[in-house]
Amino acid sequence: MSEEVVGEILELPQTDYQKQMPGEEEEAVAQATEISIESVEEGNVQFQDEVSAVKQVLFQDQDDDSSSSDYGSHDKPGTVLQRLMPDGNVLFPDMFQTNQLLFYERFKAYQDYMLGDCRTSEVKDFTAEYLEKVLEPSGWQAVWRTELFDVLIEVVDVEYLVLKADVELVTPFLCETKGCELTEESVKDLLEAKEHKVPVQELYVVYDESGEFDQTALAVEHVRFFYKHIWRSWDEEDEDDDFDYFVRCVEPRLRLYYDILEDRVPSGLVAEYHCLVSQCEEKYKEFTSLRNNISNSDSESELDNISMVEGLKMYDDLEGLKRKLKIIENPLLRYVLGYQVNSGPQFNRAKGPRPTGERMVHVVSSSMTVSQLQTLMRDKLCPDFSGEEFELQFHSDPLVAVNACYEGDVVVICPGHYSVNGSFSIPDSIELEGFGLTDEVVIEKVGKGDIFLDLTGANVKVSNLKFVQHDAVEGILCVRQGKTVMENCVLQCETTGVTVRTSAELFMNICDLYGAKGAGVEIYPGSTCSLVGNGIHHCKEGILIKDFTDEFYTMPKITMMNNVIHNNEGYGVILVKPADLPRMKKTTEADFQDESKENGGQKKEADEEEVPPAEGCGEGNNPFREPHTQEHTEGNDVITNELVATSSKKSQLQKKKMIELGLTKADDDLMSQEMFVSINGNHFKRNGKGSFGSFFY
């Protein structure tokens, strides 16, 4: 080793080594080397100790988190809960905030901890086992909440299987009444009558900073939510008990609850769902009461036989209600089959004619030049509305103009782009038309909401307008009742397109409809729908015809002529119907097969038909051109045959039903009057699954 290297190690100048005696040089070098090695080793040990200390400090919180009982832990359910300060005049202690859990939190709790893969008959046992694992058996306080009062209690024991808690009043006595007067003695008497047992679902756990009762508060919340929003009393008698209850019932009902909470379900559909649940609960109570009475009766009297017949009818009604609930709870079937639902905003009442007798022409324009006004007067107002009964009124907002209308009024919308925050509800017979080219008169919906145009007037006409929909919950236009005529309109959809409800009439001519994430046109049982010369394209399905095989529904009257239905993701036309009809007997099935042969057989699906463009016109030009010389295309024939065959099945069921009721003669003419009107001249091109298909449920 050179003197320069040794000097660097000892951090001494090189001249100091040169002053030493030559004989002492090697000894000095050896000593310097030993000192440097010892220093390096001591430095390494110290460095490693410091690194370990730093790691311990940096990752201490992470280690603590992994061992804590956070909701995402694989060891225990639960999360760190927030404090809730109760409202009211009584100074109750703070409680745990548990009513704002997210979807995935509840989903995980039910799937992983509470229910797992249990069957319906095992729900109570699994719930009791879950509570026994996570619920503190005693030593915690809660507010016992009922419809009449809130009172502070302490839990001394829990009976897990029956979901009851043994409780005692807390001193000092804290109670808040709701429209009644209660004293401490009266509450004690009530507890004595209940043997000091109250439902676990009615308890709201008092907040504790130690975190010892976090799991208890969460467990009580999960049980409370489950029996309030998920569990149904008739679930116990579910015929599909061999299947996973969580997958069949819990998950779809939980998703529906959060879809409703986040405004992803139309308000009318929500109201109908809650109404159906109430009806089903009431019907189930009546059915179980009647069944118990029959079971307890030992006689075989005529009265018991009548009760049996009533019970069977009640059971059929109950099954029908349950079936409708399942349709709404299923996110796929919710919009495909939920056609009994009065979804959408509740329509306004019709105003009728204006009391003074005159009719108003509402002119809508954001701004207008003198020349534009002259053109409007010359081409529209003077020729059509020069009578003394007409008056003019000007608006800048088309929604305000429509809301100001009475029976017989006319709304003329001048060219422009109008942004509307709201929905058009038209209960009176009015005309809504654009002045100018269709693409120049644009009405665009902004903001979330239900339906865009909700039509219930006896005779409504909409023409020469373009409607644009964004961020919608329901479709762009719904004809609920009355008659609506649409001509030369463009409909840029967001969810579903045009809906024709039962008993309503729609005559849609030379319109362009596209962009629907559902069906472009939905046709309900008992409606009248005429589609002539329209373009329906780039939708999930082109036209969807709802199931009309049920005995309660009449068949729709459908006219489809010269429409171009193309580039839809699914079928051009799809018919929704049940996979099997439970009332259909083997004898009638044979009749159906004979009728099917007479009608030329049935096909579930037809191949797409590529129609060559008209002479002198490119394929992309004029989608409303005259039909090709081949008048009855393959797609039209398949649709007609399928609809007629399905109508025949319904006819057979109705005849059989009439015979069962003692009516010996069925009116064939009545059924023939309800047959479909006309389906021909339509063109189907590049639809993902073909021109026609059936959706079985």
Side-chain angles (χ1 to χ4, degrees):
M1 181 178 297
S2 67
E3 294 179 356
E4 295 180 5
V5 175
V6 174
E8 290 177 2
I9 294 176
L10 295 177
E11 298 180 353
L12 294 174
Q14 187 176 14
T15 54
D16 292 342
Y17 284 93
Q18 294 174 348
K19 293 180 181 179
Q20 296 180 8
M21 298 297 294
E24 298 175 350
E25 182 176 353
E26 293 180 3
E27 183 178 355
V29 171
Q31 291 177 356
T33 305
E34 290 176 0
I35 293 173
S36 64
I37 292 174
E38 290 176 359
S39 301
V40 171
E41 290 178 350
E42 290 177 0
N44 287 340
V45 172
Q46 183 178 1
F47 178 76
Q48 291 175 358
D49 293 339
E50 290 176 355
V51 169
S52 300
V54 171
K55 284 184 176 180
Q56 185 175 0
V57 172
L58 288 176
F59 300 103
Q60 182 178 4
D61 294 338
Q62 181 175 340
D63 295 337
D64 291 343
D65 290 343
S66 64
S67 61
S68 65
S69 59
D70 136 342
Y71 198 90
S73 170
H74 296 282
D75 298 326
K76 294 180 180 180
T79 186
V80 178
L81 302 179
Q82 300 297 320
R83 182 194 298 265
L84 174 65
M85 298 180 64
D87 298 328
N89 299 323
V90 179
L91 295 177
F92 283 113
D94 295 348
M95 293 173 287
F96 283 107
Q97 177 83 34
T98 58
N99 59 354
Q100 295 182 348
L101 297 180
L102 302 176
F103 167 79
Y104 81 90
E105 293 176 309
R106 298 192 191 275
F107 184 93
K108 182 179 180 65
Y110 294 134
Q111 184 183 48
D112 294 350
Y113 304 113
M114 182 168 162
L115 300 175
D117 57 355
C118 74
R119 295 177 296 182
T120 308
S121 58
E122 300 172 333
V123 168
K124 288 186 177 180
D125 294 334
F126 273 62
T127 303
E129 183 180 352
Y130 164 71
L131 291 179
E132 190 172 2
K133 289 180 179 179
V134 300
L135 200 67
E136 292 292 337
S138 62
W140 48 280
Q141 293 184 353
V143 175
W144 176 25
R145 284 185 172 175
T146 68
E147 295 179 355
L148 300 177
F149 61 86
D150 294 351
V151 62
L152 184 64
I153 54 89
E154 181 173 348
V155 176
V156 296
D157 194 13
V158 178
E159 298 182 16
Y160 303 106
L161 193 59
V162 293
L163 301 178
K164 293 289 183 69
D166 293 344
V167 302
E168 297 287 348
L169 289 179
V170 173
T171 303
F173 175 71
L174 292 178
C175 179
E176 183 176 11
T177 59
K178 305 171 184 177
C180 64
E181 294 184 3
L182 284 177
T183 63
E184 183 174 357
E185 292 300 323
S186 58
V187 175
K188 286 182 178 179
D189 293 340
L190 177 62
L191 286 176
E192 288 290 340
K194 288 178 165 289
E195 299 180 348
H196 289 263
K197 301 180 188 301
V198 300
V200 171
Q201 301 96 297
E202 296 179 0
L203 301 181
Y204 292 80
V205 183
V206 171
Y207 186 80
D208 184 88
E209 293 182 353
S210 67
E212 181 180 356
F213 300 114
D214 281 11
Q215 301 298 329
T216 297
L218 274 176
V220 172
E221 169 63 24
H222 289 317
V223 171
R224 176 169 46 245
F225 183 90
F226 175 76
Y227 281 101
K228 183 178 181 180
H229 299 290
I230 305 296
W231 177 258
R232 309 281 184 245
S233 55
W234 56 85
D235 286 348
E236 294 179 313
E237 302 182 8
D238 198 336
E239 296 178 355
D240 297 329
D241 191 44
D242 293 335
F243 297 96
D244 190 337
Y245 178 72
F246 177 85
V247 174
R248 288 187 300 106
C249 299
V250 177
E251 182 178 355
R253 291 172 186 172
L254 185 62
R255 290 188 183 278
L256 175 61
Y257 173 84
Y258 278 92
D259 284 345
I260 293 173
L261 193 66
E262 297 169 8
D263 295 327
R264 289 199 292 263
V265 181
S267 56
L269 189 60
V270 175
E272 181 68 15
Y273 177 73
H274 292 316
C275 181
L276 285 173
V277 171
S278 300
Q279 292 178 9
C280 207
E281 289 280 2
E282 189 66 28
K283 186 68 68 175
Y284 180 73
K285 290 179 181 178
E286 295 176 7
F287 174 71
T288 52
S289 176
L290 179 62
R291 182 178 59 186
N292 293 335
N293 292 337
I294 296 175
S295 300
N296 297 331
S297 176
D298 297 331
S299 62
E300 296 182 0
S301 63
E302 182 178 352
L303 185 61
D304 289 337
N305 292 334
I306 295 176
S307 298
M308 287 288 291
V309 175
E310 292 179 355
L312 290 174
K313 184 180 183 303
M314 204 175 293
Y315 178 79
D316 286 341
D317 294 341
L318 180 63
E319 289 299 311
L321 292 172
K322 288 162 62 176
R323 178 170 170 265
K324 293 171 186 175
L325 286 174
K326 288 182 178 179
I327 288 174
I328 299 177
E329 290 167 355
N330 187 307
L332 174 63
L333 302 180
R334 189 178 301 158
Y335 298 101
V336 178
L337 298 175
Y339 49 78
Q340 280 208 62
V341 178
N342 184 24
S343 60
Q346 299 297 318
F347 47 81
N348 300 325
R349 292 184 177 180
K351 298 178 182 178
R354 191 172 271 98
T356 55
E358 72 271 8
R359 297 171 61 189
M360 191 73 67
V361 178
H362 303 267
V363 178
V364 180
S365 178
S366 55
S367 62
M368 184 179 295
T369 63
V370 175
S371 61
Q372 289 173 337
L373 180 59
Q374 290 176 339
T375 304
L376 177 65
M377 295 291 294
R378 182 185 69 245
D379 296 343
K380 185 64 182 178
L381 299 182
C382 291
D384 297 343
F385 309 109
S386 58
E388 294 182 357
E389 73 273 17
F390 289 102
E391 293 185 6
L392 281 180
Q393 194 172 85
F394 290 88
H395 307 269
S396 59
D397 188 340
L399 184 58
V400 174
V402 170
N403 291 338
C405 284
Y406 282 79
E407 185 87 15
D409 284 3
V410 178
V411 179
V412 178
I413 304 178
C414 297
H417 193 114
Y418 303 89
S419 296
V420 175
N421 191 353
S423 299
F424 289 92
S425 180
I426 304 180
D428 290 284
S429 297
I430 67 171
E431 294 185 19
L432 183 65
E433 59 179 297
F435 177 68
L437 299 177
T438 303
D439 289 335
E440 294 178 349
V441 189
V442 181
I443 303 177
E444 182 175 2
K445 189 179 190 322
V446 295
K448 296 187 68 172
D450 289 340
I451 208 82
F452 195 4
L453 287 92
D454 196 42
L455 310 179
T456 57
N459 198 341
V460 178
K461 183 177 180 181
V462 182
S463 60
N464 245 46
L465 293 168
K466 179 177 182 178
F467 295 96
V468 180
Q469 183 186 35
H470 299 293
D471 197 21
V473 177
E474 274 199 279
I476 195 168
L477 184 146
C478 179
V479 185
R480 298 190 185 279
Q481 60 187 42
K483 175 184 175 182
T484 296
V485 177
M486 291 195 68
E487 292 182 350
N488 196 32
C489 290
V490 176
L491 302 173
Q492 181 179 322
C493 309
E494 175 75 13
T495 52
T496 54
V498 175
T499 302
V500 192
R501 295 278 181 181
T502 301
S503 301
E505 300 179 44
L506 172 67
F507 295 84
M508 183 172 163
N509 306 321
I510 319 179
C511 294
D512 189 27
L513 187 156
Y514 60 92
K517 293 183 175 64
V521 179
E522 292 186 355
I523 303 175
Y524 281 61
S527 64
T528 299
C529 184
S530 174
L531 305 173
V532 179
N534 302 287
I536 302 174
H537 55 97
H538 294 92
C539 303
K540 177 70 174 178
E541 311 284 351
I543 299 172
L544 188 147
I545 303 173
K546 302 281 190 175
D547 172 30
F548 56 88
T549 55
D550 194 288
E551 60 181 330
F552 298 106
Y553 307 130
T554 58
M555 287 176 287
K557 296 182 177 68
I558 301 176
T559 300
M560 290 174 53
M561 298 181 63
N562 304 334
N563 300 286
V564 181
I565 304 172
H566 65 94
N567 290 100
N568 296 291
E569 184 179 340
Y571 293 101
V573 177
I574 184 169
L575 173 64
V576 177
K577 59 183 180 179
D580 57 350
L581 299 175
R583 292 185 290 272
M584 189 186 299
K585 304 299 182 182
K586 292 183 179 180
T587 53
T588 56
E589 287 178 355
D591 296 336
F592 296 159
Q593 292 176 1
D594 294 340
E595 287 195 16
S596 298
K597 293 178 181 178
E598 293 176 3
N599 290 328
Q602 303 179 36
K603 290 177 67 179
K604 291 183 181 177
E605 185 176 319
D607 294 330
E608 292 178 335
E609 179 195 1
E610 293 291 340
V611 180
E615 184 176 355
C617 179
E619 181 176 314
N621 299 330
N622 190 14
F624 312 119
R625 60 183 179 274
E626 291 298 319
H628 193 251
T629 53
Q630 182 182 355
E631 182 179 359
H632 297 288
T633 65
E634 181 181 359
N636 294 300
D637 293 339
V638 171
I639 296 170
T640 303
N641 291 339
E642 181 68 17
L643 295 180
V644 170
T646 306
S647 303
S648 300
K649 293 181 181 181
K650 179 179 173 65
S651 174
Q652 290 287 346
L653 289 176
Q654 288 184 337
K655 291 178 183 178
K656 188 175 185 300
K657 187 69 175 178
M658 294 172 69
I659 294 173
E660 290 176 353
L661 294 175
L663 303 177
T664 57
K665 183 178 179 181
D667 190 355
D668 291 335
D669 293 336
L670 180 63
M671 297 301 300
S672 63
Q673 293 172 6
E674 297 177 334
M675 193 57 63
F676 301 90
V677 180
S678 176
I679 299 179
N680 59 67
N682 302 287
H683 299 266
F684 301 88
K685 301 193 300 181
R686 295 186 295 277
N687 295 297
K689 296 183 179 179
S691 58
F692 179 78
S694 297
F695 179 87
F696 295 96
Y697 67 97

